[in-house]
Amino acid sequence: MPIVLVVIAISLLVLLSGRIATYLEEADQIFLLTKEKDILQGLEVAARRTVLFWSSIQVVVQLVLLPIYLKLGLPVWMIVSGLLTLLVLKCLFVKRQLVAYQSQGVLDWSKAIQDEQKRKQSILRFFALFTTVKGIGTTVKPRSYLNGILRLVKSRQTWFYLYLRAFLRSGDYLGLTIRLLLLAILSLFAIEESWLSIGLVLVFHYLLVFQLLGLYKHYDYQYITQLYPLEKDSKKIGLQNLLRVILYSLLVVELGFALLFSKENAMVVVLLLVGIFLHEIYLPLKLKKLID
């Protein structure tokens, strides 16, 4: 049953979430080197705090899912056993993180600092789904297997090509797009109420539009782009055309799955109309506001 898959996915998501908050910075491996033993003790305290916090989250989530378990006919002892198993696994998961920070009793500063940076970035990316957040780091990934897509773009489409290159290789734009698309498909597959599943698809689609608008400022610090002999509006037009290609492609996929799983064709029409509104009216208005 789809609902069983959703419950399992939620439980595993909470189980695998949560890193030890070490709050270590790059400079700490120099200035706090003499305090390494104190840092190790602090990590143990942080690990216990992490177990307590995320175990509480797991308990709350399982209480929310309790009516579903009872509806599925699961006995109480099985529900309690499942919860205890999840809590034990969470303890082992955090313990494994703590052990990975040490090698023969010596703190692995590089790994601890790197994991802390990843933890902070994951939190920032979550909030970035809803608003503009400063401090998000960007990484460039070659992804040579996507070069074929870049070759399809004509050389005279300068800004379209540059933004497509940034979308495919820089930051987390491509990964975010894939994740939100998968969440939209999962919503259509797992939720029987058409209004709710289509509503979630539209929420994910809107969040993606909001996030991809950040591409506009991707080349702001590349001053050589200001020397291009291009019209003033070509930058906005290039990004707008790229976003329409991406968003309409995703909309077609979402409509296809909606036709397969949605029981109400009227809601599929709503998905189409709202999607067109987001692409043709909301997107240009947000771009104009972003530029002004």
Side-chain angles (χ1 to χ4, degrees), residues 188 250-262 268 271:
L188 292 169
L250 297 179
L251 183 61
V252 169
V253 175
E254 292 164 355
L255 287 171
F257 279 94
L259 289 172
L260 288 175
F261 298 112
S262 179
V268 179
L271 174 60

Side-chain angles (χ1 to χ4, degrees), residues 10-239:
I10 293 174
S11 299
L12 290 178
L13 179 63
V14 178
L15 174 64
L16 299 176
S17 298
R19 295 176 179 269
I20 299 175
T22 63
Y23 302 107
L24 292 174
E25 301 288 347
E26 286 283 351
D28 292 340
Q29 59 185 326
I30 297 175
F31 294 103
L32 297 180
L33 185 60
T34 58
K35 298 288 186 179
E36 184 171 319
K37 290 185 178 179
D38 295 333
I39 297 297
L40 289 173
Q41 293 176 359
L43 289 180
E44 293 179 359
V45 174
R48 290 195 292 268
R49 190 183 301 119
T50 301
V51 170
L52 180 61
F53 175 78
W54 283 99
S55 295
S56 301
I57 296 295
Q58 187 69 269
V59 171
V60 171
V61 170
Q62 296 305 310
L63 287 175
V64 173
L65 297 176
L66 181 59
I68 299 178
Y69 294 146
L70 297 177
K71 186 70 174 180
L72 293 173
L74 297 179
V76 176
W77 68 266
M78 184 179 293
I79 298 174
V80 174
S81 299
L83 175 59
L84 293 176
T85 301
L86 290 172
L87 295 179
V88 171
L89 289 175
K90 171 55 72 176
C91 292
L92 295 175
F93 180 69
V94 175
K95 180 66 175 178
R96 182 182 178 185
Q97 291 183 51
L98 184 61
V99 172
Y101 291 154
Q102 304 177 50
S103 177
Q104 298 180 349
V106 178
L107 176 62
D108 187 343
W109 288 92
S110 298
K111 180 170 178 55
I113 293 172
Q114 185 179 17
D115 283 1
E116 177 62 15
Q117 292 297 323
K118 290 180 180 179
R119 187 188 70 86
K120 291 180 179 178
Q121 289 296 313
S122 63
I123 295 174
L124 291 176
R125 288 194 181 97
F126 172 76
F127 287 110
L129 290 173
F130 310 100
T131 185
T132 302
V133 177
K134 295 182 179 180
I136 297 181
T138 58
T139 56
V140 178
K141 301 177 182 178
R143 291 174 178 154
S144 56
Y145 53 88
L146 297 176
N147 287 343
I149 298 177
L150 293 172
R151 296 191 190 99
L152 297 176
V153 181
K154 297 180 180 179
S155 58
R156 66 174 180 270
Q157 297 175 289
T158 305
W159 280 110
F160 186 96
Y161 176 84
L162 288 175
Y163 281 129
L164 176 60
R165 189 182 183 91
F167 172 77
L168 294 176
R169 295 181 173 179
S170 300
D172 196 36
Y173 296 111
L174 179 61
L176 178 65
T177 301
I178 294 174
R179 288 195 296 272
L180 289 178
L181 176 61
L182 291 177
L183 286 174
I185 294 174
L186 180 62
S187 300
L188 292 169
F189 173 72
I191 301 176
E192 295 183 0
E193 291 79 3
S194 297
W195 65 270
L196 181 56
S197 60
I198 297 297
L200 286 175
V201 171
L202 290 173
V203 169
F204 295 139
H205 205 80
Y206 167 77
L207 290 175
L208 183 60
V209 174
F210 183 83
Q211 285 299 301
L212 292 183
L213 285 170
L215 275 169
Y216 183 80
K217 297 184 178 181
H218 184 81
Y219 291 101
D220 280 2
Y221 295 100
Q222 300 290 337
Y223 297 112
I224 195 172
T225 59
Q226 299 178 15
L227 302 178
Y228 293 163
L230 301 171
E231 296 181 3
K232 185 177 180 180
D233 292 337
S234 61
K235 183 177 181 180
K236 181 187 74 172
I237 294 173
L239 178 60

